[in-house]
Amino acid sequence: MNIAAALARARAFLHRKGIEAAALEAEVLLAHVLGTDRVGLYREAHRTLTREERVRFEEMLSRRAAGEPVAYLTGHREFMGLDFLVTRDVLIPRPETELLVEMALEILGRGDVPGEPLLADVGTGSGAIAVSLARYLARGTVYATDISPAALAVAAENARRHGVTGRIVFLSGDLLAPVREILPPGSLVLVAANLPYIPSADIGRLMPDVACYEPHLALDGGADGLELYRRLVPQARELLVPGGHLLMEISPGQVSLLGPLFPPDTWQYRVHRDLAGRERLVVARKKAPF
Ligand SMILES: C[S@@+](CC[C@H](N)C(=O)[O-])C[C@H]1O[C@@H](n2cnc3c(N)ncnc32)[C@H](O)[C@@H]1O
């Protein structure tokens, strides 16, 4: 069977299994098996697959049909124009999280941050946020924490691949606790966090490719989804400089619960919508004392 015929069969198979982007996913998986890109498939459309290639492609297709996400099958996901290694130890970076990075870059690019800015990425996972910030900011250091040592190993590999190892300090532990051990209060200009925010009771209702494959440690945000953020906000308040920013990704239904997290004597906050028009990002600014 040649490449064109294998693709046609795979498309039809994934389509029958209810995969929406069957054509695209068939191409991504075959390109991965053959070590080429999607254009390469069409350049070599008439080449016959070896038996080994056919077997590997069929195995990928059946794992995909069983619900395994494409990013775990290929080990890659693009985020902020960068290629990230992903394994089942980390959440697959989501396009909506790019809003958080873009907003952080805009805030820090306003130019009034002197010297070498210190930032934090709490719950770094694959390192998507920390590595993107380090890559796109000319200066500064990112303190990236995670409670999962396995996730931190993936993040460290992503930092290495993108040449920013020297710009990120990886720390294992709960929220900002490991940063508090090494930095004095009032050190950080920005704290970014895409922590688990799905209410525990909703985890079972997620799409099976999320619920069955992605780490629950990366999803479960407790009773109302805000338990980790509720603990994070006072820690961030202590570590931020006056006028510093806390950026948190949330689920749209949580906006009405945010008020008590941000007492108006200490914080000003706004909620921004993602490209799909959903309220997704909290940008909170620590007020300067009078
Ligand atoms: C939703 S994932 C986000 C990963 C990454 N920041 C991203 O945007 O793709 C949340 C991450 O928070 C980590 N995490 C969960 N509880 C934590 C805690 N108490 N302290 C630090 N990290 C935590 C998980 O291990 C997971 O890697």
Side-chain angles (χ1 to χ4, degrees), residues 171-229:
L171 299 166
S172 172
D174 180 50
L175 304 178
L176 283 166
V179 182
R180 286 163 99 186
E181 281 174 22
I182 52 177
L183 291 182
S187 297
L188 301 172
V189 295
L190 186 139
V191 173
N194 178 19
L195 282 163
Y197 55 72
I198 301 185
S200 308
D202 293 349
I203 301 281
R205 287 198 281 272
L206 293 171
M207 300 285 286
D209 49 352
V210 178
C212 304
Y213 289 92
E214 300 205 70
H216 284 204
L217 191 56
L219 300 171
D220 192 339
D224 63 358
L226 289 176
E227 278 181 13
L228 288 159
Y229 285 139

Side-chain angles (χ1 to χ4, degrees), residues 79 89-94 97 121-129 145-148 151 173-176 193-197 215 217-220 228 231 249:
F79 180 83
D89 291 317
V90 299
L91 185 97
I92 300 166
R94 305 292 204 268
T97 305
D121 172 26
V122 187
T124 196
S126 64
I129 296 172
T145 75
D146 207 291
I147 201 137
S148 156
D174 180 50
L175 304 178
L176 283 166
N194 178 19
L195 282 163
Y197 55 72
L217 191 56
L219 300 171
D220 192 339
L228 288 159
R231 289 200 293 116
E249 184 173 310

Side-chain angles (χ1 to χ4, degrees), residues 5-288:
L7 270 182
R9 264 184 54 166
R11 261 195 308 268
F13 171 73
L14 292 179
H15 187 70
R16 274 200 310 280
K17 296 289 176 183
I19 307 278
E20 238 174 67
L24 173 66
E25 294 194 5
E27 288 176 3
V28 169
L29 293 175
L30 186 53
H32 176 72
V33 167
L34 302 184
T36 182
D37 55 18
R38 287 167 55 215
V39 177
L41 296 179
Y42 290 95
R43 253 196 323 263
E44 292 189 83
H46 298 294
R47 169 163 93 66
T48 304
L49 294 178
T50 65
R51 189 182 136 66
E52 198 208 337
E53 288 167 344
R54 249 190 13 241
V55 170
R56 280 192 58 211
F57 186 38
E58 272 160 24
E59 191 214 322
M60 290 254 168
L61 290 171
S62 30
R63 284 168 64 186
R64 179 63 194 118
E68 192 163 344
V70 171
Y72 288 147
L73 290 168
T74 62
H76 296 268
R77 174 50 57 96
E78 193 254 36
F79 180 83
M80 290 297 293
L82 304 171
D83 179 42
F84 281 86
L85 162 73
V86 289
T87 72
R88 286 188 60 180
D89 291 317
V90 299
L91 185 97
I92 300 166
R94 305 292 204 268
E96 55 268 30
T97 305
E98 293 185 349
L99 173 65
L100 184 154
V101 177
E102 281 159 6
M103 195 63 77
L105 293 173
E106 191 194 309
I107 290 167
L108 295 165
R110 285 180 199 148
D112 49 359
V113 180
E116 290 286 319
L118 305 184
L119 332 170
D121 172 26
V122 187
T124 196
S126 64
I129 296 172
V131 170
S132 304
L133 288 173
R135 263 299 292 267
Y136 293 121
L137 286 170
R139 298 172 291 127
T141 299
V142 185
Y143 292 83
T145 75
D146 207 291
I147 201 137
S148 156
L152 283 172
V154 174
E157 172 58 17
N158 280 317
R160 193 194 62 75
R161 289 185 181 190
H162 292 292
V164 291
T165 299
R167 303 270 311 281
I168 305 180
V169 179
F170 291 104
L171 299 166
S172 172
D174 180 50
L175 304 178
L176 283 166
V179 182
R180 286 163 99 186
E181 281 174 22
I182 52 177
L183 291 182
S187 297
L188 301 172
V189 295
L190 186 139
V191 173
N194 178 19
L195 282 163
Y197 55 72
I198 301 185
S200 308
D202 293 349
I203 301 281
R205 287 198 281 272
L206 293 171
M207 300 285 286
D209 49 352
V210 178
C212 304
Y213 289 92
E214 300 205 70
H216 284 204
L217 191 56
L219 300 171
D220 192 339
D224 63 358
L226 289 176
E227 278 181 13
L228 288 159
Y229 285 139
R230 212 165 266 125
R231 289 200 293 116
L232 173 70
V233 173
Q235 296 181 7
R237 187 181 89 170
E238 178 194 311
L239 277 171
L240 281 170
V241 297
H245 289 81
L246 167 61
L247 276 61
M248 307 182 337
E249 184 173 310
I250 55 160
S251 159
Q254 292 164 337
V255 174
S256 62
L257 305 173
L258 292 174
L261 270 73
F262 296 107
D265 56 329
T266 319
W267 297 98
Q268 272 174 313
Y269 76 95
R270 275 191 62 185
V271 179
H272 297 257
R273 291 175 188 271
D274 62 20
L275 288 176
R278 298 198 192 94
E279 291 171 311
R280 182 64 70 192
L281 177 67
V282 182
V283 177
R285 185 168 178 277
K286 177 177 156 181
K287 286 184 178 170

